[in-house]
Amino acid sequence: MSERNPIPLILTAIGSVVGTVAVLTYYGYVHIAKPEDALLLADYTMLKTVPGEDYRVSLKPASQVAQCIDGVLVLFDTEQKGLTGVLVDNKKRAVRCMEEQVPAGLLR
């Protein structure tokens, strides 16, 4: 029984993993997130609506538009085309939404 040198096997395994990751990255199957991918688009505050109580909001609309996609609230920036993101809370949990229309009586 002869002993084999394990170094070529280890180097082949490492080379295979590195080569596979390089090819998958080249073809776009692996995306390494950068800090700029998670930029803070804007700060948001929820205004609680109480029946019979007035609240004030600016007449100028925000530069973001929200849409409910697959039950998650997605924001689209109207000033920077292509900038989209999911609305999350301070614990990085996605804000959910319902696909239904809001009854007209709730909007004032």
Side-chain angles (χ1 to χ4, degrees):
M1 209 170 161
S2 63
E3 288 190 33
R4 289 190 161 181
N5 189 1
I7 293 176
L9 292 174
I10 293 171
L11 292 177
T12 302
I14 292 172
S16 296
V17 169
V18 170
T20 301
V21 171
V23 169
L24 290 174
T25 303
Y26 178 76
Y27 285 107
Y29 291 105
V30 175
H31 174 72
I32 299 170
K34 301 176 195 92
E36 57 266 15
D37 290 341
L39 292 176
L40 180 63
L41 182 63
D43 287 324
Y44 294 93
T45 302
M46 184 175 81
L47 296 175
K48 183 177 178 183
T49 57
V50 179
E53 193 172 304
D54 291 335
Y55 60 93
R56 295 182 183 191
V57 295
S58 174
L59 293 177
K60 181 182 177 196
S63 62
Q64 293 81 29
V65 178
Q67 184 177 359
C68 189
I69 300 175
D70 294 333
V72 177
L73 196 61
V74 179
L75 293 177
F76 300 92
D77 196 308
T78 56
E79 293 176 354
Q80 297 180 19
K81 299 296 181 195
L83 183 60
T84 62
V86 175
L87 186 64
V88 295
D89 65 3
N90 60 350
K91 294 182 181 177
K92 306 294 185 222
R93 297 177 295 194
V95 174
R96 303 304 226 155
C97 59
M98 296 184 294
E99 302 282 341
E100 302 172 7
Q101 294 290 330
V102 177
L106 293 178
L107 296 175
R108 295 183 182 180

